[in-house]
Amino acid sequence: MKTYRIATIPGDGIGKEVVPEAMRVLDALAELDGGFQFEWDILPWGCDYYLEHGEMMPEDGLEILKKYDQIFLGAVGLPELVPDHISLWGLLIKIRRGLKQQINVRPAKLLQGLESPLKNPGSFDIVVVRENSEGEYSDSGGRMHSGSDEIAIQNAVFTRKGTERAIAYACELASKRSKKITSVTKSNGLSHSMPFWDDVFHDVVSKYDELQQSSAHIDAMAAYMIMKPAEYDVVVASNLFGDILTDIGGAIMGSIGIAPAANLNVEREYPSMFEPVHGSAPDIAGLGVANPLGQIWTGKLMLDFLGHEQLGEKLLSAIEYTLKSNIKTKDLKGSATTTEVTDALIAYLKQS
Protein backbone atom coordinates (compact mmCIF):
# COMPACT_ATOMS: atom_id res chain seq x y z
CA MET A 1 0.00 0.00 0.00
CA LYS A 2 1.27 3.47 -0.88
CA THR A 3 1.95 5.69 2.14
CA TYR A 4 2.05 9.47 1.83
CA ARG A 5 4.05 11.15 4.58
CA ILE A 6 2.45 14.52 5.27
CA ALA A 7 4.08 17.28 7.30
CA THR A 8 1.06 18.69 9.12
CA ILE A 9 1.23 22.24 10.52
CA PRO A 10 -2.07 23.18 12.21
CA GLY A 11 -0.62 26.60 13.07
CA ASP A 12 -2.70 29.00 15.10
CA GLY A 13 -6.29 29.73 16.10
CA ILE A 14 -8.88 27.68 14.26
CA GLY A 15 -6.14 25.93 12.30
CA LYS A 16 -5.75 23.63 15.29
CA GLU A 17 -9.44 22.69 14.98
CA VAL A 18 -10.02 22.40 11.25
CA VAL A 19 -6.81 20.55 10.33
CA PRO A 20 -7.72 17.44 12.40
CA GLU A 21 -11.19 17.48 10.82
CA ALA A 22 -9.72 17.53 7.31
CA MET A 23 -7.34 14.73 8.30
CA ARG A 24 -10.34 12.64 9.34
CA VAL A 25 -11.94 13.19 5.94
CA LEU A 26 -8.79 12.35 3.99
CA ASP A 27 -8.23 9.22 6.08
CA ALA A 28 -11.80 8.12 5.37
CA LEU A 29 -11.24 8.59 1.62
CA ALA A 30 -7.97 6.66 1.75
CA GLU A 31 -9.73 3.82 3.56
CA LEU A 32 -12.50 3.77 0.97
CA ASP A 33 -9.95 3.70 -1.85
CA GLY A 34 -7.85 0.98 -0.22
CA GLY A 35 -4.75 1.70 -2.29
CA PHE A 36 -2.98 4.26 -0.14
CA GLN A 37 -2.83 5.73 3.33
CA PHE A 38 -1.69 8.94 4.97
CA GLU A 39 0.95 9.20 7.66
CA TRP A 40 0.47 12.52 9.44
CA ASP A 41 3.33 14.08 11.39
CA ILE A 42 2.15 17.05 13.46
CA LEU A 43 4.66 19.92 13.58
CA PRO A 44 3.78 22.50 16.29
CA TRP A 45 5.12 25.51 14.40
CA GLY A 46 3.44 28.91 14.39
CA CYS A 47 2.90 31.84 16.73
CA ASP A 48 2.80 29.75 19.91
CA TYR A 49 6.13 28.27 18.85
CA TYR A 50 7.45 31.79 18.23
CA LEU A 51 6.42 32.99 21.68
CA GLU A 52 8.32 30.09 23.23
CA HIS A 53 11.36 29.90 20.95
CA GLY A 54 11.65 33.31 19.28
CA GLU A 55 11.17 31.86 15.80
CA MET A 56 8.17 30.62 13.83
CA MET A 57 9.85 27.34 12.92
CA PRO A 58 13.17 25.69 13.81
CA GLU A 59 16.32 26.84 12.07
CA ASP A 60 16.49 23.52 10.22
CA GLY A 61 12.75 23.55 9.48
CA LEU A 62 13.15 23.48 5.70
CA GLU A 63 15.45 20.47 5.90
CA ILE A 64 12.87 18.73 8.07
CA LEU A 65 10.11 19.47 5.55
CA LYS A 66 12.12 18.16 2.59
CA LYS A 67 11.72 14.64 3.96
CA TYR A 68 7.94 14.66 3.44
CA ASP A 69 5.76 14.03 0.40
CA GLN A 70 3.56 17.09 0.96
CA ILE A 71 2.78 19.79 3.55
CA PHE A 72 -0.72 20.35 4.96
CA LEU A 73 -0.99 23.77 6.59
CA GLY A 74 -3.76 25.24 8.70
CA ALA A 75 -3.88 28.94 9.53
CA VAL A 76 -1.05 31.15 10.76
CA GLY A 77 -1.28 34.35 12.75
CA LEU A 78 -1.99 35.82 16.18
CA PRO A 79 -1.63 39.53 15.43
CA GLU A 80 -2.25 40.66 18.99
CA LEU A 81 0.81 38.68 20.11
CA VAL A 82 3.02 38.37 17.02
CA PRO A 83 3.22 41.04 14.29
CA ASP A 84 1.86 39.78 10.98
CA HIS A 85 5.08 40.43 9.08
CA ILE A 86 6.94 38.15 11.48
CA SER A 87 4.40 35.31 11.29
CA LEU A 88 4.11 35.59 7.51
CA TRP A 89 7.78 35.84 6.59
CA GLY A 90 8.91 33.51 9.36
CA LEU A 91 6.82 30.54 8.25
CA LEU A 92 4.58 30.77 5.20
CA ILE A 93 6.85 32.82 2.91
CA LYS A 94 9.93 31.02 4.19
CA ILE A 95 8.44 27.66 3.20
CA ARG A 96 7.08 28.85 -0.15
CA ARG A 97 10.42 30.28 -1.24
CA GLY A 98 12.75 27.82 0.47
CA LEU A 99 10.98 24.86 -1.14
CA LYS A 100 10.57 26.59 -4.52
CA GLN A 101 6.78 26.59 -4.47
CA GLN A 102 6.64 28.90 -7.46
CA ILE A 103 2.97 28.44 -8.41
CA ASN A 104 -0.09 29.25 -6.32
CA VAL A 105 -3.40 27.78 -7.48
CA ARG A 106 -6.76 28.88 -6.09
CA PRO A 107 -10.19 27.87 -7.43
CA ALA A 108 -13.33 29.97 -7.21
CA LYS A 109 -16.45 27.95 -7.98
CA LEU A 110 -20.16 28.47 -7.41
CA LEU A 111 -20.84 25.53 -5.11
CA GLN A 112 -24.25 23.93 -4.91
CA GLY A 113 -25.91 24.91 -1.65
CA LEU A 114 -23.87 28.08 -1.18
CA GLU A 115 -25.50 31.35 -2.15
CA SER A 116 -23.35 33.89 -3.94
CA PRO A 117 -23.83 37.55 -2.98
CA LEU A 118 -23.97 38.31 -6.71
CA LYS A 119 -27.44 38.79 -8.20
CA ASN A 120 -26.63 36.83 -11.37
CA PRO A 121 -23.42 34.86 -10.74
CA GLY A 122 -23.92 32.19 -13.39
CA SER A 123 -22.22 28.83 -12.94
CA PHE A 124 -18.72 30.20 -12.62
CA ASP A 125 -15.75 27.88 -12.21
CA ILE A 126 -12.50 29.85 -12.21
CA VAL A 127 -8.98 28.79 -11.37
CA VAL A 128 -6.49 31.56 -10.67
CA VAL A 129 -2.85 30.63 -11.30
CA ARG A 130 -0.65 33.07 -9.42
CA GLU A 131 3.11 33.46 -9.75
CA ASN A 132 4.18 32.75 -6.19
CA SER A 133 7.86 33.56 -5.74
CA GLU A 134 8.72 37.01 -7.04
CA GLY A 135 6.97 39.96 -8.69
CA GLU A 136 5.56 42.63 -6.41
CA TYR A 137 6.27 40.54 -3.29
CA SER A 138 10.01 40.30 -3.87
CA ASP A 139 12.06 41.29 -0.84
CA SER A 140 13.92 44.02 -2.67
CA GLY A 141 14.00 47.59 -1.45
CA GLY A 142 14.37 49.37 1.85
CA ARG A 143 13.81 52.49 3.91
CA MET A 144 16.19 55.38 4.48
CA HIS A 145 16.37 58.81 6.11
CA SER A 146 13.84 59.94 8.70
CA GLY A 147 11.16 62.50 9.37
CA SER A 148 9.78 64.30 6.34
CA ASP A 149 12.75 63.05 4.28
CA GLU A 150 12.01 59.37 4.93
CA ILE A 151 11.89 57.22 1.80
CA ALA A 152 10.51 53.71 1.28
CA ILE A 153 11.38 51.75 -1.86
CA GLN A 154 9.73 48.44 -2.79
CA ASN A 155 11.00 46.89 -6.01
CA ALA A 156 8.95 44.48 -8.10
CA VAL A 157 11.25 41.86 -9.61
CA PHE A 158 10.11 39.73 -12.56
CA THR A 159 12.27 37.08 -14.19
CA ARG A 160 11.55 35.49 -17.55
CA LYS A 161 12.02 32.06 -16.00
CA GLY A 162 9.49 32.66 -13.22
CA THR A 163 6.97 34.37 -15.47
CA GLU A 164 7.20 31.68 -18.14
CA ARG A 165 6.77 28.97 -15.54
CA ALA A 166 3.52 30.43 -14.20
CA ILE A 167 2.06 31.13 -17.63
CA ALA A 168 3.04 27.72 -19.01
CA TYR A 169 1.41 26.00 -16.02
CA ALA A 170 -1.76 28.01 -16.61
CA CYS A 171 -1.75 27.11 -20.32
CA GLU A 172 -1.42 23.40 -19.53
CA LEU A 173 -4.28 23.67 -17.05
CA ALA A 174 -6.46 25.55 -19.54
CA SER A 175 -5.76 22.86 -22.15
CA LYS A 176 -7.32 20.29 -19.81
CA ARG A 177 -10.35 22.46 -19.00
CA SER A 178 -12.37 24.73 -21.31
CA LYS A 179 -9.33 25.93 -23.31
CA LYS A 180 -9.77 29.54 -22.22
CA ILE A 181 -7.02 31.57 -20.55
CA THR A 182 -6.90 35.20 -19.44
CA SER A 183 -3.72 37.06 -18.50
CA VAL A 184 -4.07 39.85 -15.95
CA THR A 185 -1.72 42.78 -16.29
CA LYS A 186 -1.45 46.57 -15.88
CA SER A 187 0.78 47.54 -18.76
CA ASN A 188 -0.84 50.94 -19.15
CA GLY A 189 0.39 51.97 -15.69
CA LEU A 190 3.48 49.91 -14.89
CA SER A 191 5.70 50.68 -17.82
CA HIS A 192 8.41 48.03 -17.40
CA SER A 193 7.20 44.97 -15.50
CA MET A 194 3.77 44.59 -17.08
CA PRO A 195 4.77 45.03 -20.74
CA PHE A 196 7.41 42.40 -19.95
CA TRP A 197 4.65 40.13 -18.55
CA ASP A 198 2.56 40.74 -21.69
CA ASP A 199 5.49 39.85 -23.96
CA VAL A 200 6.17 36.61 -22.10
CA PHE A 201 2.48 35.70 -22.12
CA HIS A 202 2.28 36.13 -25.88
CA ASP A 203 5.46 34.09 -26.35
CA VAL A 204 4.19 31.20 -24.24
CA VAL A 205 0.55 31.13 -25.34
CA SER A 206 1.59 31.14 -29.02
CA LYS A 207 2.64 27.50 -28.51
CA TYR A 208 -0.95 26.55 -27.62
CA ASP A 209 -3.00 26.98 -30.79
CA GLU A 210 -6.07 25.40 -29.19
CA LEU A 211 -6.38 28.05 -26.47
CA GLN A 212 -8.69 31.03 -26.59
CA GLN A 213 -6.53 33.70 -25.01
CA SER A 214 -7.26 37.20 -23.75
CA SER A 215 -5.74 39.86 -21.50
CA ALA A 216 -7.27 42.30 -19.03
CA HIS A 217 -5.95 45.02 -16.75
CA ILE A 218 -6.19 44.23 -13.04
CA ASP A 219 -8.67 47.01 -12.25
CA ALA A 220 -10.97 45.96 -15.07
CA MET A 221 -10.56 42.26 -14.20
CA ALA A 222 -11.59 42.92 -10.61
CA ALA A 223 -14.83 44.39 -11.97
CA TYR A 224 -15.31 41.58 -14.52
CA MET A 225 -15.04 38.90 -11.83
CA ILE A 226 -17.94 40.55 -10.05
CA MET A 227 -20.00 41.46 -13.11
CA LYS A 228 -19.52 38.38 -15.31
CA PRO A 229 -17.44 35.67 -13.56
CA ALA A 230 -18.93 32.83 -15.63
CA GLU A 231 -17.08 34.11 -18.71
CA TYR A 232 -13.68 33.16 -17.26
CA ASP A 233 -11.93 29.86 -16.72
CA VAL A 234 -8.16 29.89 -16.13
CA VAL A 235 -6.74 33.25 -15.06
CA VAL A 236 -2.98 33.79 -14.75
CA ALA A 237 -1.56 36.73 -12.86
CA SER A 238 1.43 38.09 -10.99
CA ASN A 239 1.93 37.63 -7.26
CA LEU A 240 0.03 40.74 -6.17
CA PHE A 241 -2.66 40.69 -8.83
CA GLY A 242 -3.34 36.98 -8.25
CA ASP A 243 -3.65 37.65 -4.53
CA ILE A 244 -6.25 40.35 -5.13
CA LEU A 245 -8.31 38.31 -7.58
CA THR A 246 -8.42 35.21 -5.41
CA ASP A 247 -9.91 37.15 -2.51
CA ILE A 248 -12.57 38.42 -4.90
CA GLY A 249 -13.08 34.81 -5.97
CA GLY A 250 -13.72 33.76 -2.39
CA ALA A 251 -16.11 36.65 -1.86
CA ILE A 252 -18.25 35.92 -4.92
CA MET A 253 -18.49 32.26 -3.87
CA GLY A 254 -20.25 33.42 -0.75
CA SER A 255 -17.48 33.02 1.80
CA ILE A 256 -13.75 33.59 1.65
CA GLY A 257 -13.61 31.18 4.60
CA ILE A 258 -14.09 28.12 2.39
CA ALA A 259 -11.53 28.95 -0.30
CA PRO A 260 -8.54 26.59 -0.69
CA ALA A 261 -5.05 27.13 -2.09
CA ALA A 262 -2.10 25.07 -3.31
CA ASN A 263 1.52 26.23 -3.32
CA LEU A 264 3.13 23.98 -5.90
CA ASN A 265 6.67 22.93 -6.56
CA VAL A 266 5.83 21.93 -10.11
CA GLU A 267 9.10 20.06 -10.66
CA ARG A 268 8.26 17.94 -7.56
CA GLU A 269 11.81 18.36 -6.33
CA TYR A 270 10.44 19.43 -2.94
CA PRO A 271 7.07 18.98 -1.25
CA SER A 272 4.23 21.30 -2.14
CA MET A 273 2.10 23.00 0.51
CA PHE A 274 -1.69 23.08 0.73
CA GLU A 275 -3.51 25.67 2.84
CA PRO A 276 -6.93 27.30 3.13
CA VAL A 277 -7.21 31.00 2.37
CA HIS A 278 -8.99 31.87 5.62
CA GLY A 279 -7.12 33.30 8.58
CA SER A 280 -6.63 31.96 12.07
CA ALA A 281 -9.80 33.69 13.41
CA PRO A 282 -8.62 33.79 17.04
CA ASP A 283 -11.95 35.34 18.08
CA ILE A 284 -13.76 32.03 17.52
CA ALA A 285 -10.90 29.64 18.24
CA GLY A 286 -11.80 26.93 20.73
CA LEU A 287 -15.55 27.41 20.39
CA GLY A 288 -16.09 24.46 18.05
CA VAL A 289 -17.85 26.57 15.43
CA ALA A 290 -15.06 27.07 12.87
CA ASN A 291 -15.95 26.13 9.30
CA PRO A 292 -13.82 23.12 8.25
CA LEU A 293 -14.77 23.24 4.54
CA GLY A 294 -11.87 25.45 3.47
CA GLN A 295 -9.37 23.04 4.99
CA ILE A 296 -11.25 20.05 3.58
CA TRP A 297 -11.39 21.57 0.07
CA THR A 298 -7.66 22.18 0.46
CA GLY A 299 -7.38 18.43 0.98
CA LYS A 300 -9.01 17.95 -2.43
CA LEU A 301 -6.25 20.01 -4.04
CA MET A 302 -3.67 17.79 -2.35
CA LEU A 303 -5.45 14.66 -3.60
CA ASP A 304 -5.45 16.09 -7.13
CA PHE A 305 -1.73 16.82 -6.98
CA LEU A 306 -1.06 13.29 -5.74
CA GLY A 307 -2.89 11.90 -8.77
CA HIS A 308 -6.19 11.00 -7.09
CA GLU A 309 -8.42 13.35 -9.09
CA GLN A 310 -11.47 11.08 -8.97
CA LEU A 311 -11.32 10.99 -5.17
CA GLY A 312 -10.91 14.75 -5.23
CA GLU A 313 -14.11 15.14 -7.23
CA LYS A 314 -15.88 12.80 -4.85
CA LEU A 315 -14.73 14.98 -1.97
CA LEU A 316 -15.99 18.14 -3.65
CA SER A 317 -19.38 16.45 -4.15
CA ALA A 318 -19.44 15.66 -0.42
CA ILE A 319 -18.72 19.30 0.39
CA GLU A 320 -21.65 20.36 -1.79
CA TYR A 321 -23.85 17.73 -0.12
CA THR A 322 -23.31 19.30 3.31
CA LEU A 323 -24.09 22.73 1.89
CA LYS A 324 -27.24 21.59 0.07
CA SER A 325 -28.36 19.79 3.22
CA ASN A 326 -27.91 23.02 5.21
CA ILE A 327 -25.33 21.38 7.44
CA LYS A 328 -23.44 24.62 7.85
CA THR A 329 -21.49 26.44 10.51
CA LYS A 330 -22.48 29.83 11.88
CA ASP A 331 -20.46 31.83 9.33
CA LEU A 332 -22.70 30.37 6.59
CA LYS A 333 -25.86 31.13 8.60
CA GLY A 334 -26.11 27.59 9.92
CA SER A 335 -26.05 26.07 13.38
CA ALA A 336 -23.79 23.02 12.94
CA THR A 337 -20.55 22.61 14.84
CA THR A 338 -17.19 21.98 13.21
CA THR A 339 -17.39 18.29 14.07
CA GLU A 340 -21.00 17.92 12.89
CA VAL A 341 -20.10 19.21 9.42
CA THR A 342 -17.23 16.74 9.17
CA ASP A 343 -19.31 13.86 10.46
CA ALA A 344 -22.00 14.51 7.85
CA LEU A 345 -19.45 14.77 5.10
CA ILE A 346 -17.78 11.48 6.04
CA ALA A 347 -21.15 9.75 6.31
CA TYR A 348 -21.98 10.88 2.78
CA LEU A 349 -18.65 9.60 1.46
CA LYS A 350 -19.23 6.17 2.98
CA GLN A 351 -22.73 5.93 1.51
CA SER A 352 -21.94 7.16 -2.00
Side-chain angles (χ1 to χ4, degrees), residues 167-169 171-172 175 204-212:
I167 294 171
Y169 183 92
C171 286
E172 291 293 330
S175 297
V204 175
V205 80
S206 66
K207 302 172 185 177
Y208 296 83
D209 294 336
E210 74 279 15
L211 295 184
Q212 178 185 341

Side-chain angles (χ1 to χ4, degrees), residues 19 21 24 30 55 59 65 69 94-96 122 137 177 201 223 241 244 279 284 286 297 314 319:
V19 166
E21 298 300 302
R24 284 208 293 140
E55 54 188 358
E59 187 175 347
L65 292 174
D69 294 305
K94 188 174 182 179
I95 293 172
R96 284 179 179 175
Y137 290 175
R177 289 169 53 94
F201 176 71
F241 294 170
I244 292 168
I284 61 168
W297 193 355
K314 190 172 185 178
I319 289 173

